[in-house]
Amino acid sequence: KEFLDACIGVIKYDRIFYSTKIPRRLRRGDSFGGGKSNLCVQCHQPRNTSSVSPAPNVNAAATDTLTITTPRWYQHYGVQAQMFLGTGGNGGFQFPGYSYSNSGHTSLIQAKTLGCIDCHMQEPVGGGAAKAGGHTMWLAYEAEGNETFIVKDCKVCHSDITTGTATTLSATAFNAYKSNARNNIAAQIDTLANLLMDTTITKKWNAGSRVDLEPTRTTYGKTLPWLTKSVDAEGQVSYSVPAGDGKKSTSTNLYAYPPIKAKGVRAGALWNFMFIEHDRSEGVHNYQYAKSLLSASIAELNKP
């Protein structure tokens, strides 16, 4: 209901005609002309870079440093607009010297042939109390104890989906479809995460000490990585940036995490990880762009 209320609020404020017919000027200055998807990107876009200042700079020299003093040094969680824009947007950090490209979804969005609603708001399943599709935004639901995916509108483009029913696929078949591509992105995300959590790697790109000064933390006296990982009781994985100003708080009497002082453009690898992780599609939205960013980030961190 909260999501629906938010959408209705946008429609009342901005008028649905303008929202779908006129390209949206996003907070980071990008233009997004995706027809009905324009309404979705009102929320599903990164915040302005001023909130995560300083942003990585592609023109940074090898001797330059970028200082990160906040654990929230990343774009907003809803980054799908910039992921779809890909090379034409201000989403990922494009390291110089590498090639970047977009998948077919980008051109289809721009041509208004495909939109967010085509996948996420397919014909509802489950009657009045819809289990998936429509305003649930869900692609999957439980049918007779088995996880099932709606794929009716996906088949308009993906005619090679030949198993399942006319409208659905089992979870097994869905996960097997294009599995090589999605598994490749998942593996690259894991590789990049491991590099950012490896102090032998990040230490190469630190311009200054990253030793934790807070005695109450288990990392006290140790060099901190650029990324940490946690798993909750339900097995949900989340990542955070262990960075602060390194100062002792007058209210808590505790030391904040030390800042990350990254050499040259290397902080762009952390930027790209959080961008792709927060997209939450494992490359489905824009496979080629996600793959390009991940490959470049991994290569940069592995440089001697």
Side-chain angles (χ1 to χ4, degrees):
K1 184 180 184 297
E2 290 80 2
F3 294 128
L4 181 57
D5 288 344
C7 290
I8 292 173
V10 170
I11 294 170
K12 288 180 177 177
Y13 175 77
D14 220 1
R15 300 292 183 183
I16 192 67
F17 174 82
Y18 295 106
S19 184
T20 60
K21 301 297 182 182
I22 298 176
R24 307 305 302 164
R25 178 64 58 182
L26 304 181
R27 285 188 288 270
R28 297 192 61 191
D30 299 312
S31 177
F32 189 100
K36 293 179 181 178
S37 298
N38 293 352
L39 180 61
C40 307
V41 304
Q42 291 281 54
C43 294
H44 290 269
Q45 60 169 301
R47 56 187 171 216
N48 191 292
T49 52
S50 62
S51 301
V52 285
S53 180
N57 181 2
V58 294
N59 298 313
T63 55
D64 290 345
T65 60
L66 184 152
T67 302
I68 301 170
T69 60
T70 172
R72 294 183 177 179
W73 192 79
Y74 48 75
Q75 303 179 62
H76 190 269
Y77 293 97
V79 299
Q80 289 75 22
Q82 260 71 21
M83 180 58 77
F84 275 121
L85 288 174
T87 58
N90 290 306
F93 179 78
Q94 298 181 186
F95 287 97
Y98 298 86
S99 297
Y100 302 89
S101 60
N102 295 322
S103 296
H105 285 170
T106 295
S107 56
L108 290 172
I109 285 274
Q110 292 171 338
K112 302 179 181 64
T113 305
L114 176 75
C116 307
I117 65 172
D118 292 302
C119 292
H120 290 280
M121 298 185 72
Q122 297 184 56
E123 184 177 343
V125 172
K131 297 178 180 179
H135 279 96
T136 70
M137 307 290 178
W138 293 107
L139 296 178
Y141 67 102
E142 189 173 296
E144 298 180 356
N146 299 310
E147 188 178 27
T148 304
F149 286 80
I150 306 175
V151 295
K152 179 181 179 181
D153 289 348
C154 304
K155 288 185 175 183
V156 174
C157 296
H158 297 275
S159 57
D160 55 340
I161 300 177
T162 56
T163 58
T165 71
T167 60
T168 64
L169 269 183
S170 68
T172 301
F174 183 87
N175 291 328
Y177 181 72
K178 302 288 186 184
S179 60
N180 288 341
R182 298 205 322 275
N183 289 343
N184 179 45
I185 294 297
Q188 284 191 301
I189 290 174
D190 287 343
T191 297
L192 183 54
N194 289 332
L195 289 173
L196 293 167
M197 293 187 291
D198 187 345
T199 55
T200 62
I201 296 295
T202 58
K203 197 172 183 178
K204 292 188 300 182
W205 310 118
N206 285 332
S209 174
R210 281 276 292 151
V211 174
D212 192 357
L213 300 178
E214 178 46 52
T216 63
R217 286 194 288 260
T218 58
T219 51
Y220 173 61
K222 299 177 181 179
T223 297
L224 293 167
W226 288 5
L227 186 73
T228 56
K229 175 182 177 180
S230 61
V231 183
D232 67 17
E234 297 181 349
Q236 295 296 313
V237 176
S238 61
Y239 296 91
S240 57
V241 181
D245 60 12
K247 297 178 181 178
K248 195 171 189 178
S249 170
T250 56
S251 59
T252 65
N253 208 33
L254 302 176
Y255 281 99
Y257 283 122
I260 295 174
K261 295 181 179 180
K263 296 178 182 177
V265 296
R266 296 316 185 290
L270 177 59
W271 182 269
N272 285 340
F273 174 81
M274 299 305 270
F275 174 56
I276 295 167
E277 170 67 14
H278 288 166
D279 176 55
R280 309 298 288 177
S281 77
E282 289 189 344
V284 171
H285 290 149
N286 193 343
Y287 171 76
Q288 293 296 342
Y289 190 55
K291 180 182 177 182
S292 302
L293 294 176
L294 288 165
S295 298
S297 299
I298 291 167
E300 284 295 314
L301 289 182
N302 277 324
K303 283 184 175 179

